[in-house]
Amino acid sequence: MKKIFIFAMMLLAMASCTPQENLPLEGYVWKLTKMEGIPAEAVQANPDFFTLQFDANETIASGRSNCNNFFGEYTLNDKGLIFDELASTRKMCPDMEQEAAYMAMFSMVDNYRINGDELTLTGKGKTLATFKMQSKMAPAEEEVVEAAAQENTDGEVEAEIVVDEVPAAEEK
């Protein structure tokens, strides 16, 4: 019995040492799990609260605090990660101090690290916020613009422009 227990413990130790592939920064929705100034119950209150995502094509970071949506450019290079000034919607909500803390944190970020599916934003070597991968970003929807022009009975040209959103392709 003792040998089986030791063998099981060795298997468990080996499985936990198996290297986990790190996710890329871009292309995922990251959900805040821990940050100074924001209580855990506020972070867990809603899956859409305190999120962050990076769009590599546009170099735009976006997400949501506990109240407002935000977006802005970011720079990612061998020196680290820098957020440009972020813009946001301006709804007034309860607990605005949590939103203020979350938004202020981005101005202090100078680097990041990813360990498996966990993203850590750092500033001056100090951990500022920790996120967990929540989901893969949905592909952007495209717009199709159709225009039609015809001459009316008075000789004037009338134009009709129709913009349709094309649903994003399903990922396999």
Side-chain angles (χ1 to χ4, degrees):
M1 180 72 174
K2 193 175 191 180
K3 289 181 182 179
I4 294 173
F5 178 75
I6 292 171
F7 181 71
M9 294 304 290
M10 287 175 53
L11 281 176
L12 182 62
M14 287 179 8
S16 65
C17 293
T18 304
Q20 184 179 13
E21 189 174 319
N22 293 337
L23 293 172
L25 178 68
E26 298 157 321
Y28 291 91
V29 177
W30 299 94
K31 167 75 171 145
L32 183 69
T33 57
K34 188 168 70 172
M35 187 183 132
E36 189 175 314
I38 301 179
E41 52 274 3
V43 169
Q44 299 163 358
N46 185 316
D48 292 334
F49 286 3
F50 303 110
T51 59
L52 174 63
Q53 59 191 31
F54 298 87
D55 181 341
N57 295 331
E58 304 290 329
T59 61
I60 298 289
S62 61
R64 181 173 179 189
S65 68
N66 59 327
C67 181
N68 288 292
N69 296 318
F70 65 88
F71 63 94
E73 291 187 11
Y74 67 94
T75 303
L76 182 61
N77 57 36
D78 58 346
K79 294 179 184 173
L81 170 67
I82 305 287
F83 291 91
D84 292 342
E85 192 170 328
L86 299 175
S88 73
T89 55
R90 302 228 183 239
K91 293 187 288 186
M92 291 299 294
C93 302
D95 303 318
M96 291 300 288
E97 65 279 353
Q98 294 170 5
E99 175 169 307
Y102 186 62
M103 298 307 293
M105 176 269 302
F106 292 110
S107 66
M108 296 183 276
V109 172
D110 61 19
N111 215 332
Y112 76 99
R113 69 180 170 275
I114 296 176
N115 186 10
D117 65 351
E118 185 176 88
L119 165 66
T120 303
L121 299 181
T122 60
K124 295 183 180 175
K126 178 183 171 194
T127 296
L128 301 173
T130 305
F131 296 78
K132 186 144 184 100
M133 190 278 290
Q134 184 175 36
S135 63
K136 204 167 190 177
M137 283 174 53
E141 293 183 353
E142 296 179 23
E143 289 185 346
V144 174
V145 179
E146 295 179 21
Q150 67 184 53
E151 196 173 306
N152 66 17
T153 56
D154 297 333
E156 297 173 344
V157 176
E158 293 178 345
E160 179 181 0
I161 298 175
V162 178
V163 178
D164 291 324
E165 284 188 3
V166 176
E170 295 276 329
E171 286 194 20
K172 294 183 181 182

